[in-house]
């Protein structure tokens, strides 16, 4: 099985994803949707080939996630998390990779995770005892493993000499307790917490991003290294709720064309599409979507080129990708806001997709890697020759 036609396979699932989008918003991605997406091989995209994985080119990954996002951004976000975290686990030692990718699910294993270092790891017998909460645990209900970021603490409780070492540890989902505490107004299906139980972690990965020895992925099975997950994620996030959802999905041309056949309340317009204000709104939205696609193309291409050549990023290149991600996210939000405004008050009904998409894109703009204001500050600090004040470059 290879990744040929994976985008087409995901596209065929769009009616299923659309039918279940409202169910996903009520709490989690439905099992039948998650299982159907797994059947396309999308979880294999970053799994090493020796385990039956695909090592799918980044551009293909972006297109696959775009097809999901066109119908439900939250489902796309959850699927992205599983596929992206698989990249990180492919950097674990061989023994740990055997645990991940040769189990009952094989290369279709679902691995969730978080970059937030909420847990504590205490060295013990060649491994770690891990305790604490692991917040923002996207996709935990469908995951087989959970990857958590933990700060290493001394066994005697003494404070570290300087910043603590940060490691990634993986635990089978049978071990942690899921705290169903993501009572959010937006993007509900992807924010639960794990509270890992005590126990020896299964493996230790390279140190967290920001340390010199983790800034380039180590080659696997003779293949070139891949981009670090935050950059791959940023490239894929460009479509979640944005060009994927705003142009081709439920709040795009098809649905808006249908809804624009109604009149405009308190005016003499019997058809919305006859009004000049509608023409301006649709044209402005399309310009922003086109602009977002143009902005997205450059970092997607650069990340793919770096992965193919194995070349290292300069600090400025890393810093530039962040504001580009923030810029395209902001453009997508502006496009969705225009279309949502044009949809009128009747679109406030929960079964009308445009209001859900508007909430999802607003939530995405708060995500730390693509938040426009944060990314602009990071880029500006690097351009000014000062410390970026983040390890995630």
């Amino acid at each position: 099985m290879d990744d040929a036609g994976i985008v087409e396979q995901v596209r065929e699932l769009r009616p299923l994803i659309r039918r279940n989008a409202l169910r996903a918003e009520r709490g989690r991605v439905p099992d039948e949707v998650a299982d159907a997406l797994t059947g396309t091989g999308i979880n294999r995209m970053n799994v090493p080939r020796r385990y039956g994985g695909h090592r799918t080119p980044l551009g293909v990954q972006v297109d696959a996630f775009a097809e999901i996002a066109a119908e439900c951004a939250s489902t796309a976000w959850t699927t992205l998390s599983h596929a992206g975290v698989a990249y990180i686990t492919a950097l674990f030692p061989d023994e740990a990779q055997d645990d991940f990718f040769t189990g009952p699910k094989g290369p279709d294993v679902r691995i969730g995770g978080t970059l937030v270092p909420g847990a504590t790891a205490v060295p013990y017998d060649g491994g770690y005892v891990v305790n604490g909460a692991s917040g923002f645990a996207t996709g935990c209900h469908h995951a087989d493993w959970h990857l958590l970021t933990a700060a290493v603490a001394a066994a005697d409780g003494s404070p570290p000499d300087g910043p603590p070492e940060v490691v990634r540890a993986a635990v089978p989902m049978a071990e942690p307790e899921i705290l169903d505490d993501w009572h959010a107004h937006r993007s509900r299906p992807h924010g639960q917490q794990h509270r890992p139980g005590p126990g020896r972690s299964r493996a230790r990965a390279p140190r967290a991003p920001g340390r010199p020895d983790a800034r380039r992925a180590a080659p696997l099975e003779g293949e070139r290294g891949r981009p670090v997950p935050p950059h791959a994620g940023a490239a894929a996030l460009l479509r979640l709720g944005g060009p994927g959802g705003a142009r081709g999905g439920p709040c795009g041309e098809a649905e808006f064309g249908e809804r624009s056949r109604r009149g405009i309340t308190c005016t003499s317009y019997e058809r919305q599409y006859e009004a000049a204000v509608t023409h301006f709104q649709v044209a402005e939205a399309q310009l922003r979507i086109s602009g977002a696609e143009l902005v997205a193309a450059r970092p997607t291409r650069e990340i793919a080129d770096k992965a193919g050549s194995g070349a290292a990023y300069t600090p400025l290149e890393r810093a530039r990708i962040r504001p580009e991600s923030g810029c395209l996210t902001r453009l997508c939000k502006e496009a969705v806001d225009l279309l949502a405004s044009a949809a009128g008050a009747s679109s406030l009904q929960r079964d009308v997709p445009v209001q859900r998409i508007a909430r999802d894109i607003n939530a995405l703009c708060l995500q730390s890697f693509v938040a426009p204001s944060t990314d602009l500050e990071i880029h500006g600090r690097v351009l000014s020759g000062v410390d970026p004040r983040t390890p995630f470059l």
Side-chain angles (χ1 to χ4, degrees):
M1 181 177 183
D2 58 28
D3 60 358
I6 192 169
V7 176
E8 290 72 20
Q9 294 180 62
V10 174
R11 185 179 300 130
E12 291 176 357
L13 295 179
R14 283 180 54 169
L16 173 68
I17 298 169
R18 178 185 291 203
R19 288 196 303 271
N20 287 277
L22 191 57
R23 287 180 61 196
E25 189 181 41
R26 290 170 180 159
R28 69 186 65 169
V29 176
D31 292 344
E32 58 265 41
V33 175
D35 292 342
L37 285 167
T38 297
T40 67
I42 200 166
N43 291 334
R44 301 185 180 201
M45 292 194 299
N46 289 302
V47 173
R49 290 194 182 99
R50 66 176 179 271
Y51 294 108
H54 297 328
R55 305 283 284 179
T56 304
L58 182 59
V60 176
Q61 295 194 41
V62 171
D63 290 342
F65 293 127
E67 294 294 333
I68 306 172
E71 307 299 345
C72 179
S74 291
T75 300
W77 178 274
T78 302
T79 310
L80 165 67
S81 177
H82 288 153
V85 173
Y87 165 85
I88 306 177
T89 54
L91 298 177
F92 273 62
D94 289 345
E95 180 183 0
Q97 292 188 49
D98 289 343
D99 284 342
F100 301 141
F101 303 127
T102 64
K105 300 290 184 63
D108 291 316
V109 63
R110 298 173 187 153
I111 308 175
T114 178
L115 298 177
V116 180
T120 299
V122 177
Y124 175 78
D125 191 25
Y128 294 93
V129 174
V130 180
N131 280 291
S134 180
F136 301 101
T138 300
C140 60
H141 290 289
H142 294 112
D144 303 295
W145 290 79
H146 180 71
L147 192 75
L148 60 141
T149 303
V152 177
D156 60 4
S158 59
D161 183 16
E165 180 184 10
V166 177
V167 297
R168 305 205 197 285
V171 294
M173 276 304 301
E175 295 183 13
E177 172 192 1
I178 297 178
L179 305 180
D180 202 354
D181 63 352
W182 184 250
H183 307 302
H185 177 59
R186 298 162 178 159
S187 302
R188 289 196 61 203
H190 51 74
Q192 318 298 330
Q193 275 198 347
H194 284 304
R195 187 178 300 280
R200 185 176 183 275
S201 73
R202 302 289 296 189
R204 172 180 170 175
R207 296 176 179 179
R211 303 295 183 90
D213 57 351
R215 293 197 172 188
R216 286 176 59 184
L220 296 174
E221 57 191 26
E223 301 173 47
R224 293 286 188 180
R226 301 294 292 275
V228 295
H231 286 172
L237 288 176
L238 63 93
R239 291 297 182 90
L240 305 192
R247 184 180 65 173
C251 76
E253 298 162 359
E255 189 207 336
F256 186 81
E258 182 64 30
R259 293 187 62 81
S260 66
R261 296 179 182 279
R262 63 178 176 79
I264 300 180
T265 306
C266 301
T267 75
S268 60
Y269 285 108
E270 296 182 359
R271 297 288 185 270
Q272 184 183 10
Y273 61 73
E274 296 175 345
V277 64
T278 301
H279 305 157
F280 281 110
Q281 289 169 320
V282 173
E284 287 281 358
Q286 183 57 58
L287 280 175
R288 283 162 173 76
I289 294 169
S290 298
E293 290 177 329
L294 289 172
V295 173
R298 200 214 61 76
T300 301
R301 183 175 59 253
E302 180 179 25
I303 293 169
D305 290 345
K306 293 284 189 182
S309 67
Y313 291 87
T314 67
L316 185 57
E317 287 173 335
R318 291 178 175 272
R320 189 184 65 243
I321 290 174
R322 290 287 296 270
E324 287 174 337
S325 302
C327 175
L328 63 90
T329 304
R330 182 173 60 191
L331 287 169
C332 293
K333 178 182 181 300
E334 292 172 355
V336 172
D337 287 345
L338 283 163
L339 294 173
S341 176
S346 62
S347 67
L348 295 175
Q349 294 290 329
R350 289 181 61 86
D351 60 348
V352 177
V354 66
Q355 48 77 28
R356 182 180 65 253
I357 293 168
R359 291 201 302 273
D360 281 343
I361 191 65
N362 274 279
L364 182 61
C365 285
L366 299 176
Q367 208 278 342
S368 58
F369 285 126
V370 293
S373 57
T374 300
D375 291 339
L376 284 173
E377 179 189 1
I378 291 171
H379 192 207
R381 292 185 65 83
V382 174
L383 288 172
S384 300
V386 297
D387 185 83
R389 305 191 72 168
T390 177
F392 293 106
L393 281 181

